[in-house]
Amino acid sequence: MAGEERLEPGKVAMFAQNIQHVGQQKKNRLVPYVDADLAFSEKGDRFTDETFGLSEPVEALTDWADSPEGTVDQYRRVAFGKMYHDGKYVGARDNAEKLISPKAPVTQAMGFGRERHRDKVIMQRGIFAPSMLEITQDGDYQTTVFPSANTVPVDDIRFYRGRADGVAKPTTPLAGDGLRLLSPAKVRAANSVLAKGEDETFGFSPVILYEVDDLNGLLTSEELTDGDLTMVKRLENGEINHWMGCTWVKVDPGSLPRVPGQTNRFYTAMFLPPYLAYKDRPLVTTRIVERADKSFNWYAYYRAQDFVLRRRDSAFVWIEIERAI
């Protein structure tokens, strides 16, 4: 805007840094559990991630056997960057000057909002994205849909307690007769599906996401021993985050997506952290300006860009659960 007044560049830079620092003070929930680069600096509107298929040696039966043949399948997934931004009115110039403090309410609100945005993007465009974009060896783009084999159905109880001892399979509750909540049996089933993908864990435990209501439902399971109940209650109190071989990460209520076409059925997920790539550029634009169109009051603004993709679908499992709503 012609003739508009701005804060000095150094103060605007401090505001941008404070948005970052405030976010570090109040950490998001998911960034520590994915392969995150919060200072992505490569040029372009996309990033590609290359993976490859399997190659298995075979026994050489004779000295003059035919040489093994074949090619290694190569996969290139691509994530296009998406811009996001935030802007708030701050009033008089003295309020704008206060934005250089990380304790300023507007600075804190915008910084915390950026952290919530990161969690939202990781879930919506990463973990629970219905498909990923790939580049074929011919250079064409194709869409790869998340495999149905990597979904644990809502009524899956294949690993119920007592099965190894010949205990009869429990009757699956029908709609209206009971709820098929997050349960130990579903966690075991998801672990089984994940193991079949044969993806290298790189020393990481599988991560499982849950909301408060899911943990409350888990506490009602008759499968839980006294020791299990103690562990779940410690999860509830935030004393631990590891149980049943998984790292449990609590997300905000309303974060986990609804199963399409269902009213009280949702997805949670179990996944291996190295196979979710999230990249966020440093703030692309930051402004603190006097707005002539707003009675010459001051306004703070930033814009940034992020990218996210699943490297291998086999390292992710969606788990259907029901809730009382």
Side-chain angles (χ1 to χ4, degrees):
M1 187 182 304
E4 71 181 5
E5 187 177 355
R6 305 175 180 224
L7 285 190
E8 295 85 345
K11 292 181 179 179
V12 177
M14 289 181 67
F15 166 64
Q17 290 175 0
N18 286 334
I19 291 178
Q20 291 277 59
H21 294 161
V22 167
Q24 292 169 9
Q25 291 169 21
K26 186 175 181 180
K27 291 183 178 179
N28 48 61
R29 299 177 188 271
L30 295 180
V31 168
Y33 300 101
V34 301
D35 183 8
D37 179 0
L38 304 185
F40 183 62
S41 58
E42 293 182 17
K43 295 181 179 180
D45 62 350
R46 72 202 73 180
F47 92 92
T48 58
D49 190 271
E50 299 195 19
T51 59
F52 50 86
L54 301 177
S55 178
E56 300 292 347
V58 295
E59 183 180 1
L61 297 176
T62 68
D63 291 341
W64 300 101
D66 292 339
S67 300
E69 297 178 342
T71 59
V72 175
D73 293 330
Q74 298 183 27
Y75 310 94
R76 294 169 59 199
R77 288 200 162 175
V78 58
F80 284 87
K82 290 193 176 183
M83 291 289 186
Y84 64 95
H85 59 174
D86 193 5
K88 293 293 179 289
Y89 301 121
V90 295
R93 183 183 176 102
D94 60 340
N95 289 332
E97 297 272 5
K98 293 176 183 177
L99 295 176
I100 65 175
S101 168
K103 296 186 181 297
V106 172
T107 304
Q108 287 192 328
M110 294 175 77
F112 294 158
R114 193 178 185 203
E115 296 306 303
R116 290 194 301 273
H117 170 83
R118 285 170 170 162
D119 282 351
K120 186 176 182 180
V121 166
I122 287 171
M123 282 195 280
Q124 293 182 353
R125 287 165 43 202
I127 297 170
F128 295 108
S131 62
M132 286 284 135
L133 196 61
E134 291 185 353
I135 304 175
T136 68
Q137 295 186 20
D138 297 327
D140 298 324
Y141 288 101
Q142 67 180 18
T143 299
T144 302
V145 177
F146 187 76
S148 59
N150 278 56
T151 299
V152 174
V154 69
D155 56 358
D156 191 309
I157 53 173
R158 73 187 93 163
F159 293 111
Y160 63 88
R161 189 180 295 278
R163 178 175 181 176
D165 304 311
V167 175
K169 181 178 180 180
T171 302
T172 303
L174 301 176
D177 295 330
L179 292 172
R180 292 162 286 186
L181 310 172
L182 181 62
S183 65
K186 281 202 180 78
V187 174
R188 289 191 284 269
N191 251 321
S192 175
V193 174
L194 201 62
K196 290 174 183 175
E198 297 184 338
D199 295 301
E200 174 60 52
T201 66
F202 298 102
F204 289 90
S205 300
V207 169
I208 186 166
L209 308 181
Y210 71 94
E211 295 182 16
V212 170
D213 282 352
D214 303 321
L215 202 63
N216 289 337
L218 187 62
L219 282 165
T220 68
S221 174
E222 293 182 350
E223 277 203 32
L224 297 182
T225 64
D226 289 343
D228 289 331
L229 284 169
T230 299
M231 294 295 284
V232 176
K233 289 177 180 177
R234 292 182 68 192
L235 276 175
E236 187 178 32
N237 295 333
E239 298 175 31
I240 61 171
N241 69 346
H242 196 82
W243 178 58
M244 290 189 71
C246 301
T247 299
W248 293 67
V249 177
K250 182 171 69 174
V251 297
D252 290 333
S255 298
L256 296 176
R258 183 176 274 108
V259 176
Q262 302 292 327
T263 56
N264 66 334
R265 193 176 299 177
F266 299 81
Y267 284 124
T268 186
M270 181 184 292
F271 65 94
L272 293 172
Y275 297 98
L276 195 292
Y278 173 77
K279 299 186 183 295
D280 195 349
R281 291 193 194 279
L283 298 182
V284 176
T285 303
T286 311
R287 297 285 187 273
I288 303 175
V289 298
E290 186 182 50
R291 293 272 299 268
D293 61 329
K294 297 297 179 183
S295 301
F296 294 93
N297 282 309
W298 287 74
Y299 170 80
Y301 173 86
Y302 77 80
R303 180 169 58 173
Q305 187 180 33
D306 56 16
F307 312 75
V308 65
L309 57 73
R310 291 189 303 262
R311 290 190 164 112
R312 290 182 185 267
D313 292 334
S314 56
F316 294 78
V317 181
W318 296 353
I319 308 170
E320 290 188 12
I321 53 176
E322 282 189 356
R323 294 190 193 134
I325 59 173

